Amino acid sequence: MLRILRGIGWSLLALVGLLVLAWLLARFWPLSAAQRAQVRLLEDVQPLAGRNGFALLWTLPFDDLDAAQREQALLKDVARWRAGPEPGMTDSLLEGTQPQVTAQVGVTCGSRVPDCLARVRADPQRFIDGHAGHAGLHERQQQLADFDRFDSPFQGLGDPLMMPVPRYQLLMDGTSAHALAFVQGDTAAALAGSCRSLQLGRRLMHRGGTLLDSMIGAASVQVNAQLLADMLVELPPDQSLPAVCDAALQPLSTDEQSLCRAMQGEFALNERAIEASLRQGATVLMLDRTQTRARIAQNFAWACGTAAERTLAEDAPVARSWEQPWDVRCVANWIGCTLASISGPAYQEYAARSQDNAALVRLLGAQRWLRQQPDAPAQALARLPAQWRSPSRVPTLSADGRHLQVPRRERDATGELTTMLSVPL
């Protein structure tokens, strides 16, 4: 009996030894050269030059503040959030002390709400009433387009899940205001406002710090480019545009379409989430910081580097496998492997949306060019300047000849989006 018990003991000891050996082997298994390169790409965050507009963006809802007061308010709010959020704490100390504008349901134009101009024209009084008291907000929105970058000081918070964000929904309030100005006959203000909102969207797409900034910027580009197309088609082909439109309507560069900076921001947020998890002692044995960072980097690094630049220059679809099969490292990093597998495939759609925005701006340029040509659009399209087409998407006429279009690259699970991007002719 003693011999049997001794054998069982030795067997259990050997099993424990094997488990410890397997854990040690997994924990110290070296990263591949490709993994190290991906991490370096995401760590290489280059500082942006120019004026930071985050203070104005953060205090966008609040009236009656000068620039210095807005900067001071941001500093106070950052200090509050760094000290640790408390139950019921408001995003900003300004709430309750300063007059503020709130978004009105049904009087904004978003990327999922088509035909902004038609909606406003159908019921202008509703939009007049909905925008009452919003003049200061609209003026601040216009000012945002003059800033070069939007770096959030809240990104350094220890818990990324608690990071507050600006009231981005207010940015769409200006789009319906531009449409209303056009309906009321103020064409110059409508065109200038839409161009400035489009310019702001372009800045947010590649000069914010997170994927959320980029997607809000993309939505602003989409809705304002579409509004401009709908307005311009009602104006003479040789309609002169405000000076602000010169830059806003230029084709998007590869840098402007790139999601690299946004993905670097997402990688940094994930790093802080890892650190927060490691502070919970029970996770230490099944969460390895280095291995988890390397696996998460695979979800983001595709947006950076020369291959990504070449894809954007060619307007080619982002195509890659998002599968991350479990390997020996996951024995000592079960939690990290699970975290890294979450939401990987979704990022491809963000890239498609960015490329579609660039295609929509090109369509807008092609629309203006075609309407100024003496011959019919079908004939003029053959000599469309290169800047208004891409190597993979050349504009064509719709079946009825009334729209200029290219295939939409973004897939839409809700079925709200059409398969084609188009502007009227």
Side-chain angles (χ1 to χ4, degrees), residues 310-383:
R310 185 165 57 251
T311 296
L312 293 175
E314 297 171 355
D315 191 27
V318 174
R320 55 149 291 179
S321 172
W322 297 94
E323 295 295 328
Q324 290 203 52
W326 284 38
D327 54 30
V328 66
R329 303 177 184 89
C330 294
V331 172
N333 190 35
W334 183 85
I335 296 175
C337 289
T338 301
L339 291 174
S341 299
I342 296 174
S343 299
Y347 294 112
Q348 188 167 348
E349 292 310 303
Y350 297 130
R353 192 178 307 172
S354 178
Q355 290 179 310
D356 280 350
N357 275 321
L360 185 56
V361 173
R362 288 195 298 269
L363 277 178
L364 184 54
Q367 176 208 50
R368 294 179 60 212
W369 183 86
L370 278 176
R371 294 185 70 231
Q372 295 171 4
Q373 303 310 302
D375 47 348
Q379 285 72 48
L381 266 179
R383 59 178 192 279

Side-chain angles (χ1 to χ4, degrees), residues 222 226 356 393 406-412 416-422:
Q222 179 182 336
Q226 196 68 63
D356 280 350
R393 288 190 282 187
V406 295
R408 185 189 297 273
R409 191 156 290 160
E410 180 187 2
R411 295 174 297 180
D412 179 28
E416 295 176 357
L417 299 179
T418 63
T419 59
M420 304 294 285
L421 295 168
S422 68

Side-chain angles (χ1 to χ4, degrees), residues 126-166:
R126 178 161 67 95
F127 288 87
I128 292 171
D129 296 340
H131 290 310
H134 291 199
L137 169 66
H138 298 157
E139 182 180 350
R140 292 191 291 277
Q141 289 175 323
Q142 299 297 292
Q143 293 170 358
L144 281 171
D146 293 327
F147 288 91
D148 303 292
R149 56 190 175 90
F150 298 91
D151 293 331
S152 169
F154 292 109
Q155 286 183 254
L157 294 177
D159 187 351
L161 296 179
M162 300 302 296
M163 187 180 79
V165 296

